[in-house]
Amino acid sequence: MNLSLRLKAVEELVDNNSIVIDIGCDHAYLPISLILNNKSIKAYAVDNKIGPLNNALLNINSFNLNDSVKTILSDGFKDINISDYNTVTITGMGAINIINILDNAKSDQLDNKTFIFEANRDSEILRKYLSLNGYQIIDEGIVKEDDIYYFLIKAIKNNKMVKLSDNEINYGPFNLIKKDILLKEYLNKMLSIYEDAFSKAKTKNDSLRLKIKNIKETLYEIE
Ligand SMILES: C[S@@+](CC[C@H](N)C(=O)[O-])C[C@H]1O[C@@H](n2cnc3c(N)ncnc32)[C@H](O)[C@@H]1O
């Protein structure tokens, strides 16, 4: 199973011997690969649409993994009646959708689990939500694929409140600590976009000016 760079990076953040529930599995490439690579001992592939779930089932059948990867039709955690998973992956959707899925789950479906998130947009909104709702970020990663930057977040729900600074919310506490080379690249890209927009703006744009200032300061900090 040849995973995309993005899903490969998600897989790398999953702990060995985990039991994973992949919410929004689509094709189920991730749960299949987790079993094939002996990362997980069992996986649940969940989607809220029958089309993707049927595709998932075909893929699972083609690898003869029906005993170790089970499909479940469910909107988020709504129809999830199993509890033996220790890891939740939610990737490839917007932060708001991820937050809705978490908000609509029962606490015993989330407490003390390990999570790997990859929001296709608004990662800062997801980090803020996590920090205010008892999730502790324990690792992060950035992947660039087809010129798009993807931000990955590994967290545990231990119901401790961990306050994050604005920069940590915007760019990720571990990405900043690691001085991730892709974070620098991403910030330089955003800087040139904002500077270009600022130079073309017909009226004074304070919000753009502040963004440019913040990115320059952040780049200086992670030099
Ligand atoms: C773009 S795909 C991402 C697939 C895979 N997770 C990945 O990262 O490549 C998003 C999938 O999430 C499913 N989905 C969206 N909202 C969902 C929800 N509330 N509950 C379950 N699945 C959902 C969609 O049907 C779709 O198959």
Side-chain angles (χ1 to χ4, degrees), residues 7-8 16-17 29-30 41 53 56 70 75 95 99 102 104 110 116 120 137 148-149 153 157 163 169 189 206 222:
L7 282 180
K8 190 86 207 136
N16 288 336
N17 300 316
Y29 293 157
L30 177 64
I41 52 176
L53 214 57
K70 305 284 182 198
D75 176 0
I99 289 169
L102 299 175
N104 291 328
L110 308 177
I116 320 290
N120 281 350
I137 297 177
I148 299 171
Y149 296 85
I153 301 170
K157 187 161 194 302
K163 183 144 175 44
I169 284 172
K189 183 179 170 181
D206 282 340
I222 61 175

Side-chain angles (χ1 to χ4, degrees), residues 30-145:
L30 177 64
I32 290 171
S33 180
L34 285 167
I35 299 292
L36 291 177
N37 291 331
N38 292 318
K39 266 254 158 171
S40 302
I41 52 176
K42 189 175 176 183
Y44 297 100
V46 178
D47 210 283
N48 63 348
K49 294 178 199 74
I50 195 71
L53 214 57
N54 283 337
N55 275 338
L57 203 52
L58 285 177
N59 291 331
I60 294 162
N61 285 341
S62 72
F63 284 95
N64 236 332
L65 291 179
N66 306 65
D67 286 340
S68 38
V69 185
K70 305 284 182 198
T71 56
I72 306 175
L73 180 66
S74 175
D75 176 0
F77 285 91
K78 212 166 144 194
D79 291 313
I80 302 299
N81 299 312
I82 43 103
S83 58
D84 60 345
Y85 58 89
N86 47 31
T87 304
V88 180
T89 51
I90 314 183
T91 66
M93 55 180 94
I96 301 299
N97 202 11
I98 295 177
I99 289 169
N100 281 336
I101 289 171
L102 299 175
D103 261 349
N104 291 328
K106 300 187 201 88
S107 58
D108 64 330
Q109 293 176 312
L110 308 177
D111 283 349
N112 302 312
K113 311 290 185 198
T114 299
F115 295 79
I116 320 290
F117 301 110
E118 178 272 306
N120 281 350
R121 60 191 159 274
D122 302 326
S123 287
E124 65 287 355
I125 295 178
L126 179 58
R127 286 192 203 97
K128 186 165 191 176
Y129 173 88
L130 296 176
S131 76
L132 294 174
N133 287 276
Y135 296 79
Q136 185 178 352
I137 297 177
I138 55 171
D139 201 0
E140 286 178 298
I142 309 177
V143 178
K144 184 183 175 190
E145 190 166 39

